[in-house]
Amino acid sequence: MKIFKNLFWKQENTYNVGNIDLENLPVHIAIIMDGNGRWAKKRGLPRTAGHKAGVEALRDIIRTCSRLGIKYLSLYAFSTENWKRPQEEVNGLMQLLVLYLRKEVEELHENHVKINVIGDIQGLPENARQEVEAAVARTENNDGLVVNIALNYGGRAEIIQAVKEISRRAKRNELDIEAIDEEIFSKFLYTKGIPDPDLVIRPSGELRISNFLLWQIAYSEFWFSNIYWPDFTGKNLVEAIIDYQKRDRRYGGVK
Ligand code: FPP
Protein backbone atom coordinates (compact mmCIF):
# COMPACT_ATOMS: atom_id res chain seq x y z
CA MET A 1 0.00 0.00 0.00
CA LYS A 2 1.38 3.39 -0.92
CA ILE A 3 -1.50 5.63 0.00
CA PHE A 4 -1.44 8.05 2.89
CA LYS A 5 -4.65 9.17 4.53
CA ASN A 6 -3.42 12.71 4.74
CA LEU A 7 -2.03 14.26 1.58
CA PHE A 8 -1.73 17.95 2.41
CA TRP A 9 1.93 18.25 1.48
CA LYS A 10 2.62 19.43 -2.02
CA GLN A 11 6.05 17.91 -2.43
CA GLU A 12 5.76 14.22 -3.07
CA ASN A 13 8.02 11.93 -1.10
CA THR A 14 6.07 8.74 -0.58
CA TYR A 15 7.31 5.74 1.29
CA ASN A 16 5.99 2.28 0.89
CA VAL A 17 4.04 1.94 4.08
CA GLY A 18 3.99 -1.83 3.63
CA ASN A 19 2.16 -3.57 6.40
CA ILE A 20 1.29 -0.49 8.39
CA ASP A 21 -2.20 -0.63 9.86
CA LEU A 22 -3.65 2.83 9.31
CA GLU A 23 -6.45 2.06 11.77
CA ASN A 24 -4.03 1.35 14.62
CA LEU A 25 -1.59 4.25 14.47
CA PRO A 26 0.05 5.63 17.58
CA VAL A 27 -1.79 8.84 18.49
CA HIS A 28 1.32 10.42 19.99
CA ILE A 29 4.92 9.76 18.95
CA ALA A 30 7.79 11.26 20.94
CA ILE A 31 11.33 11.41 19.53
CA ILE A 32 14.70 12.03 21.17
CA MET A 33 16.61 13.40 18.18
CA ASP A 34 20.02 12.06 19.14
CA GLY A 35 23.30 11.48 17.32
CA ASN A 36 23.81 14.78 15.48
CA GLY A 37 27.25 15.29 17.03
CA ARG A 38 28.50 11.80 16.18
CA TRP A 39 27.08 12.07 12.65
CA ALA A 40 29.14 15.25 12.15
CA LYS A 41 32.28 13.83 13.78
CA LYS A 42 32.20 10.79 11.48
CA ARG A 43 32.37 13.23 8.57
CA GLY A 44 35.00 15.50 10.09
CA LEU A 45 32.46 18.32 10.40
CA PRO A 46 31.67 20.64 13.32
CA ARG A 47 28.85 19.54 15.64
CA THR A 48 26.67 22.39 14.40
CA ALA A 49 26.72 20.82 10.93
CA GLY A 50 25.21 17.73 12.54
CA HIS A 51 22.40 19.78 14.04
CA LYS A 52 21.79 21.39 10.66
CA ALA A 53 21.50 17.95 9.07
CA GLY A 54 19.21 17.03 11.98
CA VAL A 55 16.80 19.75 10.92
CA GLU A 56 16.62 18.19 7.43
CA ALA A 57 15.69 14.85 9.00
CA LEU A 58 13.08 16.62 11.08
CA ARG A 59 11.43 17.98 7.96
CA ASP A 60 10.95 14.50 6.52
CA ILE A 61 9.60 13.13 9.82
CA ILE A 62 7.07 15.95 10.26
CA ARG A 63 5.85 15.43 6.72
CA THR A 64 5.55 11.69 7.15
CA CYS A 65 3.67 12.02 10.46
CA SER A 66 1.33 14.56 8.93
CA ARG A 67 0.62 12.39 5.89
CA LEU A 68 0.00 9.31 7.98
CA GLY A 69 -2.48 11.17 10.15
CA ILE A 70 -0.48 11.00 13.40
CA LYS A 71 -2.07 13.46 15.80
CA TYR A 72 0.86 14.45 18.08
CA LEU A 73 4.63 14.48 17.52
CA SER A 74 6.85 15.54 20.44
CA LEU A 75 10.45 16.44 19.67
CA TYR A 76 13.25 16.82 22.21
CA ALA A 77 15.06 19.82 20.72
CA PHE A 78 16.81 21.39 23.73
CA SER A 79 16.92 20.11 27.31
CA THR A 80 17.47 21.97 30.59
CA GLU A 81 20.83 20.17 30.66
CA ASN A 82 21.90 21.24 27.15
CA TRP A 83 23.00 24.66 28.49
CA LYS A 84 26.13 22.83 29.70
CA ARG A 85 27.32 22.48 26.09
CA PRO A 86 29.96 24.87 24.68
CA GLN A 87 28.52 28.37 24.22
CA GLU A 88 29.18 28.18 20.48
CA GLU A 89 27.05 25.04 20.15
CA VAL A 90 24.23 26.49 22.28
CA ASN A 91 24.24 29.64 20.12
CA GLY A 92 24.26 27.51 16.98
CA LEU A 93 21.23 25.53 18.15
CA MET A 94 19.29 28.67 19.07
CA GLN A 95 20.13 30.24 15.71
CA LEU A 96 19.05 27.08 13.92
CA LEU A 97 15.74 27.12 15.77
CA VAL A 98 15.12 30.74 14.75
CA LEU A 99 16.05 30.09 11.11
CA TYR A 100 14.02 26.89 10.98
CA LEU A 101 10.86 28.57 12.29
CA ARG A 102 11.31 31.64 10.12
CA LYS A 103 11.72 29.51 7.02
CA GLU A 104 9.21 26.75 7.68
CA VAL A 105 6.27 28.18 9.58
CA GLU A 106 4.30 29.16 6.48
CA GLU A 107 4.61 25.72 4.91
CA LEU A 108 3.72 24.07 8.21
CA HIS A 109 0.74 26.38 8.53
CA GLU A 110 -0.46 25.61 4.98
CA ASN A 111 -0.31 21.96 5.90
CA HIS A 112 -2.48 22.47 8.99
CA VAL A 113 0.36 21.79 11.45
CA LYS A 114 -0.04 23.31 14.90
CA ILE A 115 3.15 24.21 16.73
CA ASN A 116 3.14 23.83 20.47
CA VAL A 117 6.00 24.26 22.92
CA ILE A 118 6.78 22.45 26.14
CA GLY A 119 9.46 23.73 28.51
CA ASP A 120 10.38 27.04 30.08
CA ILE A 121 10.72 29.31 27.07
CA GLN A 122 11.27 32.35 29.29
CA GLY A 123 14.80 30.98 29.67
CA LEU A 124 15.52 31.17 25.92
CA PRO A 125 17.37 34.07 24.28
CA GLU A 126 14.94 36.89 23.48
CA ASN A 127 14.93 36.43 19.68
CA ALA A 128 14.40 32.67 19.96
CA ARG A 129 11.52 33.16 22.42
CA GLN A 130 9.87 35.71 20.13
CA GLU A 131 10.20 33.47 17.09
CA VAL A 132 8.73 30.52 18.99
CA GLU A 133 5.82 32.61 20.27
CA ALA A 134 5.13 33.90 16.76
CA ALA A 135 5.10 30.35 15.35
CA VAL A 136 2.73 29.16 18.08
CA ALA A 137 0.41 32.14 17.49
CA ARG A 138 0.49 31.71 13.68
CA THR A 139 -0.55 28.06 13.85
CA GLU A 140 -2.75 28.05 16.95
CA ASN A 141 -6.05 27.40 15.14
CA ASN A 142 -4.76 24.55 12.99
CA ASP A 143 -6.34 21.14 13.34
CA GLY A 144 -3.68 18.91 11.76
CA LEU A 145 -0.59 17.36 13.29
CA VAL A 146 0.44 18.96 16.60
CA VAL A 147 4.23 19.36 16.70
CA ASN A 148 5.22 19.67 20.28
CA ILE A 149 8.74 21.13 20.52
CA ALA A 150 10.53 20.59 23.82
CA LEU A 151 12.72 23.64 24.45
CA ASN A 152 14.56 24.28 27.71
CA TYR A 153 12.62 21.21 28.80
CA GLY A 154 13.40 18.75 31.59
CA GLY A 155 11.02 16.09 32.90
CA ARG A 156 12.02 16.65 36.52
CA ALA A 157 11.80 20.44 36.20
CA GLU A 158 8.32 20.00 34.69
CA ILE A 159 7.18 17.88 37.65
CA ILE A 160 8.64 20.34 40.15
CA GLN A 161 6.91 23.34 38.60
CA ALA A 162 3.64 21.37 38.71
CA VAL A 163 4.14 20.55 42.41
CA LYS A 164 4.87 24.22 43.14
CA GLU A 165 1.74 25.44 41.36
CA ILE A 166 -0.43 22.78 43.02
CA SER A 167 1.02 23.76 46.43
CA ARG A 168 0.33 27.46 45.81
CA ARG A 169 -3.29 26.68 44.97
CA ALA A 170 -3.70 24.36 47.95
CA LYS A 171 -2.30 27.07 50.23
CA ARG A 172 -4.88 29.51 48.87
CA ASN A 173 -7.57 26.83 49.48
CA GLU A 174 -8.29 26.67 45.77
CA LEU A 175 -7.47 22.97 45.60
CA ASP A 176 -8.35 20.15 47.98
CA ILE A 177 -5.16 18.16 48.65
CA GLU A 178 -7.13 14.94 49.13
CA ALA A 179 -8.73 15.36 45.71
CA ILE A 180 -5.39 15.41 43.84
CA ASP A 181 -5.18 12.42 41.56
CA GLU A 182 -3.23 11.54 38.39
CA GLU A 183 -5.70 13.32 36.16
CA ILE A 184 -5.55 16.55 38.16
CA PHE A 185 -1.76 16.37 38.43
CA SER A 186 -1.45 15.97 34.64
CA LYS A 187 -3.29 19.25 34.17
CA PHE A 188 -0.34 21.10 35.72
CA LEU A 189 2.19 19.69 33.27
CA TYR A 190 3.33 21.40 30.06
CA THR A 191 1.56 18.59 28.18
CA LYS A 192 -1.86 19.48 29.62
CA GLY A 193 -4.56 18.23 27.26
CA ILE A 194 -2.18 16.08 25.23
CA PRO A 195 -2.46 12.29 25.56
CA ASP A 196 0.62 10.41 26.81
CA PRO A 197 3.03 9.20 24.12
CA ASP A 198 2.19 5.78 22.72
CA LEU A 199 5.59 5.38 21.11
CA VAL A 200 8.96 6.85 22.12
CA ILE A 201 11.73 6.67 19.52
CA ARG A 202 15.42 7.15 20.29
CA PRO A 203 17.92 6.76 17.48
CA SER A 204 21.75 6.77 17.75
CA GLY A 205 22.21 3.66 19.85
CA GLU A 206 21.69 5.22 23.29
CA LEU A 207 19.28 3.29 25.51
CA ARG A 208 18.11 5.91 27.96
CA ILE A 209 15.33 8.46 28.47
CA SER A 210 17.46 11.51 29.38
CA ASN A 211 14.82 13.35 31.43
CA PHE A 212 12.25 13.41 28.61
CA LEU A 213 8.53 13.29 29.50
CA LEU A 214 9.17 11.33 32.71
CA TRP A 215 5.57 11.40 33.97
CA GLN A 216 4.02 10.87 30.55
CA ILE A 217 5.94 7.73 29.48
CA ALA A 218 4.54 5.46 32.22
CA TYR A 219 3.03 3.07 29.64
CA SER A 220 4.77 4.15 26.43
CA GLU A 221 6.31 1.65 24.05
CA PHE A 222 10.00 2.22 23.22
CA TRP A 223 11.79 1.83 19.93
CA PHE A 224 15.55 2.18 19.64
CA SER A 225 17.78 2.25 16.58
CA ASN A 226 21.49 2.68 15.89
CA ILE A 227 20.88 5.22 13.12
CA TYR A 228 22.10 8.74 13.89
CA TRP A 229 19.27 11.29 13.80
CA PRO A 230 20.41 13.10 10.60
CA ASP A 231 20.13 9.76 8.75
CA PHE A 232 16.70 8.96 10.18
CA THR A 233 13.99 9.01 7.48
CA GLY A 234 10.26 8.52 7.11
CA LYS A 235 11.08 4.94 6.16
CA ASN A 236 12.59 4.34 9.59
CA LEU A 237 9.57 5.94 11.20
CA VAL A 238 7.26 3.60 9.31
CA GLU A 239 9.43 0.67 10.48
CA ALA A 240 9.06 1.86 14.10
CA ILE A 241 5.28 2.15 13.73
CA ILE A 242 4.99 -1.34 12.24
CA ASP A 243 7.00 -2.74 15.18
CA TYR A 244 4.84 -0.79 17.61
CA GLN A 245 1.72 -2.31 16.07
CA LYS A 246 3.00 -5.79 16.97
CA ARG A 247 3.27 -4.92 20.66
CA ASP A 248 0.74 -6.18 23.18
CA ARG A 249 -0.13 -3.21 25.40
CA ARG A 250 -1.56 -4.46 28.67
CA TYR A 251 -1.14 -1.41 30.94
CA GLY A 252 -0.39 -3.68 33.90
CA GLY A 253 -3.44 -5.84 33.31
CA VAL A 254 -4.00 -9.12 31.50
CA LYS A 255 -5.73 -9.83 28.23
C1 FPP B 1 21.22 15.48 20.19
O1 FPP B 1 22.36 15.15 19.42
C2 FPP B 1 20.52 16.58 19.59
C3 FPP B 1 20.27 17.77 20.19
C4 FPP B 1 20.71 18.13 21.52
C5 FPP B 1 19.53 18.82 19.48
C6 FPP B 1 18.45 18.38 18.57
C7 FPP B 1 18.17 19.49 17.66
C8 FPP B 1 17.90 19.45 16.35
C9 FPP B 1 17.71 18.24 15.56
C10 FPP B 1 17.80 20.72 15.57
C11 FPP B 1 17.22 21.90 16.26
C12 FPP B 1 15.77 21.79 16.49
C13 FPP B 1 14.85 22.52 15.89
C14 FPP B 1 13.41 22.34 16.30
C15 FPP B 1 15.14 23.49 14.84
P1 FPP B 1 23.77 15.26 20.10
O2 FPP B 1 24.35 16.58 19.81
O3 FPP B 1 23.63 14.93 21.57
O4 FPP B 1 24.54 14.14 19.37
P2 FPP B 1 25.72 13.23 19.97
O5 FPP B 1 25.12 12.44 21.11
O6 FPP B 1 26.12 12.39 18.82
O7 FPP B 1 26.79 14.17 20.42
Side-chain angles (χ1 to χ4, degrees):
M1 194 202 324
K2 258 191 167 175
I3 301 158
F4 289 99
K5 279 202 292 191
N6 189 340
L7 281 163
F8 297 138
W9 303 89
K10 278 175 265 162
Q11 200 180 319
E12 275 310 315
N13 186 13
T14 24
Y15 294 106
N16 193 332
V17 294
N19 295 323
I20 209 166
D21 175 2
L22 295 173
E23 301 308 317
N24 180 29
L25 291 169
V27 174
H28 183 174
I29 298 178
I31 307 183
I32 301 176
M33 306 182 288
D34 195 17
N36 297 347
R38 280 163 287 165
W39 181 93
K41 193 171 175 203
K42 217 173 83 182
R43 288 164 176 74
L45 299 168
R47 294 179 56 82
T48 325
H51 296 313
K52 219 169 157 188
V55 172
E56 296 302 319
L58 180 61
R59 210 169 268 136
D60 186 19
I61 296 307
I62 290 179
R63 230 169 243 177
T64 305
C65 281
S66 173
R67 286 223 195 97
L68 280 170
I70 301 292
K71 191 63 203 143
Y72 300 94
L73 172 67
S74 290
L75 302 161
Y76 207 4
F78 196 88
S79 77
T80 44
E81 289 72 36
N82 286 153
W83 298 109
K84 290 187 270 191
R85 294 188 174 207
Q87 192 60 42
E88 194 187 323
E89 184 175 347
V90 170
N91 292 347
L93 276 166
M94 292 300 152
Q95 202 188 353
L96 210 52
L97 173 69
V98 169
L99 292 177
Y100 170 75
L101 292 174
R102 227 173 253 170
K103 194 162 155 236
E104 309 275 330
V105 161
E106 278 317 304
E107 194 191 347
L108 292 168
H109 179 59
E110 279 170 25
N111 287 286
H112 309 217
V113 171
K114 177 178 164 128
I115 296 173
N116 186 49
V117 174
I118 56 171
D120 180 12
I121 63 161
Q122 298 311 321
L124 296 183
E126 184 65 13
N127 68 332
R129 186 179 58 75
Q130 279 175 3
E131 207 64 45
V132 166
E133 284 173 349
V136 170
R138 179 76 179 121
T139 61
E140 72 179 336
N141 296 318
N142 291 345
D143 60 359
L145 171 71
V146 177
V147 174
N148 216 9
I149 311 177
L151 288 167
N152 195 19
Y153 174 89
R156 288 182 172 180
E158 177 183 36
I159 291 169
I160 287 177
Q161 68 76 33
V163 169
K164 282 184 176 166
E165 184 53 28
I166 289 171
S167 310
R168 276 184 220 113
R169 294 199 190 186
K171 207 170 158 185
R172 297 197 299 258
N173 289 322
E174 289 167 14
L175 195 77
D176 172 9
I177 291 176
E178 296 312 317
I180 298 169
D181 58 10
E182 293 178 11
E183 200 187 326
I184 290 180
F185 189 82
S186 299
K187 291 190 176 133
F188 289 87
L189 298 173
Y190 295 126
T191 49
K192 173 179 182 253
I194 296 175
D196 291 341
D198 299 294
L199 173 62
V200 177
I201 296 175
R202 180 163 195 160
S204 96
E206 307 293 0
L207 306 178
R208 55 176 171 263
I209 200 65
S210 303
N211 205 14
F212 193 37
L213 301 173
L214 294 183
W215 170 274
Q216 298 86 340
I217 56 162
Y219 282 102
S220 301
E221 296 293 329
F222 289 84
W223 195 82
F224 297 102
S225 144
N226 288 328
I227 301 166
Y228 293 146
W229 174 250
D231 291 329
F232 201 88
T233 67
K235 226 176 200 161
N236 302 118
L237 182 80
V238 166
E239 207 183 312
I241 294 173
I242 290 172
D243 271 0
Y244 160 85
Q245 292 179 326
K246 292 180 191 145
R247 309 267 178 101
D248 179 18
R249 302 186 76 190
R250 292 189 299 279
Y251 301 92
V254 283
K255 279 241 169 96

